[in-house]
């Protein structure tokens, strides 16, 4: 049980008046890394919504057989050698 009157110190809440509190290098690095992850997540969410709204825009207009020279479509035995 608590003794009453004594607040439990927390690593997230600075002790004292708070004006002398500064983040350590590890906390700054973690904060920057989390911000970069949120930016990356936002870019991925926007990209996924754009693909969902217009899926055919991201598809190439050429087909797999356009690059074959001298071979008929569907003949792969000569191309593997």
């Amino acid at each position: 049980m608590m003794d009453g009157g004594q607040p439990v110190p927390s690593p997230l809440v600075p002790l004292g008046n708070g004006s002398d509190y500064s983040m350590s290098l590890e906390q700054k690095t973690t904060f920057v890394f989390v911000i970069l992850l949120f930016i990356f997540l936002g870019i991925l969410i926007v990209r996924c919504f754009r693909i969902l709204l217009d899926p055919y825009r991201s598809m190439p207009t050429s087909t797999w057989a356009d690059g074959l020279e001298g071979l008929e479509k569907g003949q792969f035995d000569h191309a593997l050698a």
Side-chain angles (χ1 to χ4, degrees):
M1 288 192 135
M2 300 288 295
D3 286 330
Q6 291 275 336
V8 178
S10 172
L12 298 177
V13 178
L15 298 176
N17 59 5
S19 63
D20 58 350
Y21 179 73
S22 63
M23 292 174 49
S24 68
L25 180 62
E26 183 179 348
Q27 288 174 330
K28 289 178 185 177
T29 306
T30 305
F31 186 72
V32 169
F33 183 69
V34 168
I35 294 297
L36 288 175
L37 282 178
F38 275 119
I39 291 171
F40 183 66
L41 179 66
I43 291 170
L44 286 179
I45 289 173
V46 168
R47 186 171 186 263
C48 287
F49 273 110
R50 288 178 64 189
I51 290 173
L52 285 174
L53 292 176
D54 192 9
Y56 297 110
R57 184 185 58 179
S58 61
M59 295 177 115
T61 56
S62 62
T63 61
W64 59 271
D66 287 345
L68 296 178
E69 298 174 3
L71 292 177
E72 293 181 23
K73 296 178 183 178
Q75 292 182 344
F76 294 106
D77 53 349
H78 299 294
L80 293 176

